Structures are given as structure tokens and as C-alpha cells.
Amino acid sequence: MVLKLYGFPMSTCTQRALLALHEKGVPYEMVEVQLHKGETKTPEFLANQPFGQVPYIDEDGFILYESRAIARYIAEKYASQGTPNLLPTADLKARALFEQAASIETSDFDQYASHIVMEGLFKPMMGGTTDKAKVQDLTSTLSKKLDVYEQILGKQRYLSGDNITLADLFHVPYGVLLKRAGADVLDGRPNVKRWFDDMTSRPSWQAIKSGSAA
Amino acid sequence: MVLTLYGNPKASCTQRVATVMHEKQVPFKLVTIELSKGEHKAPDYLEKQPFGQIPVLDDDGYLIYETRAISRYIAEKYADQGTPLIPKDLKAKGHFEQAASVEQANYDAYAGKAVVEKVFKPMFGQTPDDAVVERLLTSLEASLDVYEKILSKQKYVAGNEITLVDIFHLPLLSLLPLTGRDVYSTRPNVEKWAKGLIDRPSFQSVKDGVRSTA
């Protein structure tokens, strides 16, 4: 039975899972969740995803949520097909450097980027007003973090070494929206720009980007 | 050569890693980094941790930072000793990753910031923003309502066995009461789980200050 992905094309977190599915060449069926109709708060939905968030997968009855967990599961299960070593398993030290990069993504990028995009892009799209001072504050912190990324990416091609991993790809869905949200932070640092453009030119992002709000 | 952990005895992130060291019965030497003296921003420290944060692990010259990455590395390297903390089966691993992602996005994102704002800021002579603390704790409580449901069906966050992810929650679980909000008394399953974790000898060994064990 084909894997079902519950989410919707414009959802950044759904895109994160989609990137993994495309990189590994895994067929799937997207079941569109009607967020604006409150579908994620229905008992049926909460029975599968108790936090009321998208996405989740249903693989023949095996339910899994959290986009990064889904991506990791796909990368491990289909390790031998598609892009290799998205989740390095063979070498303990390579694996640990991947985990370091994955942790940097959530603590030093996503924390700021997701709030910048919520406040600067999604809020006005839903009829609200952006708190510009908040966006500026978050952008200033994110910029300092990206100065460190610039250093790291000056010594190696990707965040955990010279091979692309999931930790790099996790940055894409919010990364592409930062400029529109008012945080033009990726273009001014040559190594960061090189790394980010590399990822967005990959077939996996090209295949799904039409769903993005970018 | 014995493992060296650069950190601070009272810092939650250092305690998170030290708890895992104790669970896995791995001796380590603690090298104290004095945050009040700005030692985490010194050039030779930034060589080890370019974001200027603690802790960092030095395993005979192999450096790794980000507490969850360090913890995973230790749990994998020493898989055969101490408490087993990472499941091997693919689907159990999927649930482990799901819980790990929830810990960062739906727990630490609120709990960590609330504790910093309400408990740590005053320690450094700054005034907490109570409105910010209120918002964070309200979001945290919404997540803990979901934890209450999850923990009514299983003993730990990823299943019926303890894993690293339960340990990741620990330092903050013991600090939450200091925010002034009672998150436990209306959530008996969360309270039981939290108390069980806090009472573990590994955490008891570090909660009043991490010390070298080698």
C-alpha cells in the first residue's frame, strides 16, 4: 500500500517531509488536510496527531508525526535507494557530526526563521499585522547565527561535512521564505548563499517548490 | 584517554549531558567554563564551539557540541553498557525520533525560554518580562496536556522503555516549579513520569552541580 502523507503543499513542515520522500525516490500519496476548516482539531485527526499539527504519515497503519522524524524514518528505511547518506549510519563519528548539525538547525536556525516567517509572512496573509520590531529582533539574532554558519561553510560544503544530509535540507522550507518575510539574510554571506542555492537547485526542491509561498 | 566535557556545573545543558554519562556509566572530566567571565567567548573556546555556547565534548581530540548530539554519540558509542537509551528496531526508532522532535519543538521551545526568562535572568541581575513568561507557559501547558494523554497509554515518551528523549526533558522538569506555575498537580501522568526521572540516580548525581567522575 502506498505511503500516505497527511499535510498540504504550502505547509513548510509538510515540505520538509516531501524533500526526504523525493530525495529517496519513495512513492507517496498526499492526503490534503483542510487546516482552515479546523480539520487538525477534529477527534479523528487528533487520534493520529495528538498535537493537532501537520504532517503525519500513515504507512500501512504505522503512524508517525514530526516532519524531521518522518524524514529520518524515510532516510533509514530506504537507505539503499536515492541520495545516499542523508542520515549517515555507518560511522559513529560521522553520525555524531550529523546530529550536531541537526541540533544546530533546530536551535540556531529554525527557532528564529520559523517565527520570522510566521510573523512577517503568514500573519499578514491571514489578515493580521506584522510586529516589525519583533521581526527585526529575531532577524538580528538569526544574522549572528548565520555568521557562524558562514565560518563553518567556509571549511566544508555542508553543515556536517562534505556530503549533504537531512540536516542541511531541513533548512529549506523556511529558508526560502525569509526574504519575503522581511529577513534578507541568506544572500549577503557567500558561503551560506552557495550552500543554500545548492539545495534549492536540487530536483527534490524543484519538484515541490510550486506549493511554497516563496 | 578520558572524555573531557567543557561546561558549567550548574548549567542545564551541561547537566543534560552529564546525566547521560551517568546513565551509561561513562567516566568524564569536567572542565569548568566560567560564563560570568566570558570564557565561552574566548578565541580558544570559539575554536571548539563556534557559537560560543556550552557544553563541548572532547573525545581524544574528536570534538562535538550540541547536548543532544553529544548525548546521542555517548548513547551509541557505549550502547553495550549502562541503560539502553536508543532503540534499534526501525519503527521503535521512528517513535523515538518523533518524541525527540516533540521535545525540542513542543516542550523545550517553551519550557527552556520560560525558565531562562523567569529563573535565570534575575540571577544575572535582569528583570523578567512576565508577559513573555505567561505566553510561554500557556503554550507549554497546551503541550503538557498532550503529554498527559500520551503518558496515559505508555510509561515513557517514546514507548514503554526509557530512552534518551525522556532524559532530554530532565533538567527543565526539575526547574519548572521555579517559574511559579504549577504544571504538575493537574496532570498526574506527567507528574509521575517527571518525578520518576528526577529521582533517577543519574540526575540526582548532577542536579546540584556536575562534577568530574574521572
Side-chain angles (χ1 to χ4, degrees), chain B residues 57-113:
Chain B
L57 181 76
D58 182 345
D59 183 357
D60 220 348
Y62 170 72
L63 294 169
I64 180 139
Y65 56 87
E66 292 293 311
T67 60
R68 294 166 185 82
I70 299 170
S71 301
R72 284 168 177 262
Y73 172 70
I74 295 296
E76 276 192 56
K77 184 175 180 185
Y78 300 97
D80 298 330
Q81 67 186 59
T83 316
L85 290 174
I86 303 184
K88 296 206 165 64
D89 166 73
L90 181 64
K91 287 183 174 177
K93 189 73 180 289
H95 284 145
F96 168 87
E97 293 298 353
Q98 176 178 278
S101 187
V102 164
E103 187 267 321
Q104 287 199 274
N106 295 350
Y107 169 82
D108 191 76
Y110 308 121
K113 291 200 191 93

Side-chain angles (χ1 to χ4, degrees), chain A residues 13 16 68 104-116 142 149 170-171 174, chain B residues 105:
Chain A
C13 296
R16 206 176 275 123
R68 293 171 185 80
I104 289 167
E105 188 266 324
T106 51
S107 319
D108 298 319
F109 180 84
D110 189 80
Q111 250 213 79
Y112 310 107
S114 65
H115 288 118
I116 289 168
L142 179 60
Y149 273 63
F170 287 166
H171 291 78
Y174 278 118

Side-chain angles (χ1 to χ4, degrees), chain A residues 91-94 96-97 100, chain B residues 1-6 17 21 26-29 31 48 55-65 69-78 81:
Chain A
D91 177 57
L92 176 63
K93 289 181 173 176
L97 291 172
Q100 179 179 277
Chain B
M1 216 195 78
V2 86
L3 296 178
T4 304
L5 184 66
Y6 294 83
V17 171
M21 299 286 208
V26 177
F28 65 95
K29 188 177 122 194
V31 170
K48 299 192 223 292
V56 179
L57 181 76
D58 182 345
D59 183 357
D60 220 348
Y62 170 72
L63 294 169
I64 180 139
Y65 56 87
I70 299 170
S71 301
R72 284 168 177 262
Y73 172 70
I74 295 296
E76 276 192 56
K77 184 175 180 185
Y78 300 97
Q81 67 186 59

Side-chain angles (χ1 to χ4, degrees), chain A:
Chain A
M1 217 190 79
V2 86
L3 182 150
K4 292 204 173 105
L5 175 68
Y6 289 78
F8 55 94
M10 210 176 86
S11 145
T12 46
C13 296
T14 306
Q15 288 162 5
R16 206 176 275 123
L18 284 168
L19 280 171
L21 289 164
H22 279 265
E23 287 283 341
K24 299 309 272 175
V26 175
Y28 63 91
E29 182 199 313
M30 168 118 63
V31 178
E32 279 203 43
V33 173
Q34 306 294 319
L35 193 80
H36 56 282
K37 288 189 185 160
E39 193 183 328
T40 56
K41 310 297 171 192
T42 62
E44 298 74 30
F45 190 91
L46 291 170
N48 290 322
Q49 216 291 11
F51 292 90
Q53 297 164 323
V54 289
Y56 72 86
I57 57 169
D58 179 346
E59 190 200 45
D60 233 339
F62 175 64
I63 309 282
L64 196 67
Y65 55 87
E66 291 295 309
S67 61
R68 293 171 185 80
I70 294 168
R72 282 166 173 265
Y73 174 74
I74 296 296
E76 266 195 73
K77 183 171 180 181
Y78 300 98
S80 53
Q81 70 183 57
T83 310
N85 291 312
L86 281 184
L87 189 79
T89 43
D91 177 57
L92 176 63
K93 289 181 173 176
R95 177 63 182 259
L97 291 172
F98 160 80
E99 294 295 352
Q100 179 179 277
S103 188
I104 289 167
E105 188 266 324
T106 51
S107 319
D108 298 319
F109 180 84
D110 189 80
Q111 250 213 79
Y112 310 107
S114 65
H115 288 118
I116 289 168
V117 169
M118 295 285 185
E119 188 66 38
L121 184 64
F122 292 156
K123 209 177 178 190
M125 275 169 77
M126 294 188 292
T129 318
T130 300
D131 177 346
K132 290 211 165 117
K134 186 174 172 188
V135 171
Q136 241 170 347
D137 198 42
L138 290 164
T139 304
S140 160
T141 311
L142 179 60
S143 293
K144 293 198 186 87
K145 300 294 184 182
L146 289 173
D147 285 338
V148 185
Y149 273 63
E150 183 66 10
Q151 252 183 70
I152 295 170
L153 295 165
K155 298 177 197 163
Q156 55 198 49
R157 275 187 78 187
Y158 298 99
L159 264 194
S160 60
D162 286 322
N163 296 309
I164 195 167
T165 65
L166 285 182
D168 302 285
L169 292 168
F170 287 166
H171 291 78
V172 174
Y174 278 118
V176 297
L177 298 175
L178 284 171
K179 201 189 244 182
R180 260 192 82 183
D184 187 0
V185 289
L186 296 176
D187 283 341
R189 295 170 179 83
N191 298 322
V192 169
K193 183 172 161 55
R194 175 211 84 225
W195 164 75
F196 200 76
D197 287 349
D198 175 301
M199 292 195 290
T200 53
S201 62
R202 291 176 77 83
S204 56
W205 179 251
Q206 293 298 312
I208 65 174
K209 69 174 187 176
S210 59
S212 167

